[in-house]
Amino acid sequence: LVKQDIHTILKKRLGLDDMFPTPDLIKWETLAHSLDRLQENKDVQGSIQQVSIAIVGKYNGLSDSYLSVTKALTHSAIHLQVDV
């Protein structure tokens, strides 16, 4: 999207005068590449540490009941390069 100059369009449309001329995507690219490596390592049996976590609660049957908890665990797993 940066190559398509979307940041300039958004900057003008939203009136973000203090925005940097070009976005710094280094952290985002690092995160994306680490997620790609994590996905690739999942395909190789035993090449990635697996962590099991039990969630005990009253509403386990409903998939959305503890969605924020499961999302937090997923994000932590990405950061730590483990499979949850």
Side-chain angles (χ1 to χ4, degrees):
L1 293 174
V2 173
K3 291 178 184 176
Q4 297 173 358
D5 215 27
I6 190 75
H7 59 283
T8 305
I9 296 167
L10 290 174
K11 180 180 176 179
K12 287 178 186 176
R13 182 73 89 146
L14 298 174
L16 301 173
D17 299 327
D18 295 336
M19 189 173 119
F20 290 115
T22 56
D24 181 12
L25 299 176
I26 293 172
K27 288 183 182 179
W28 174 253
E29 289 171 351
T30 302
L31 176 64
H33 290 305
S34 69
L35 183 57
D36 289 341
R37 282 192 307 273
L38 183 63
Q39 287 299 116
E40 290 169 2
N41 289 338
K42 279 185 182 181
D43 296 337
V44 179
Q45 193 73 9
S47 66
I48 190 167
Q49 183 180 359
Q50 193 168 35
V51 178
S52 297
I53 298 174
I55 298 176
V56 179
K58 186 175 181 179
Y59 304 105
N60 283 341
L62 303 173
S63 62
D64 292 346
S65 297
Y66 303 99
L67 188 60
S68 60
V69 174
T70 56
K71 289 292 183 183
L73 291 171
T74 301
H75 293 164
S76 298
I78 291 168
H79 177 72
L80 296 172
Q81 295 288 300
V82 298
D83 186 23
V84 175

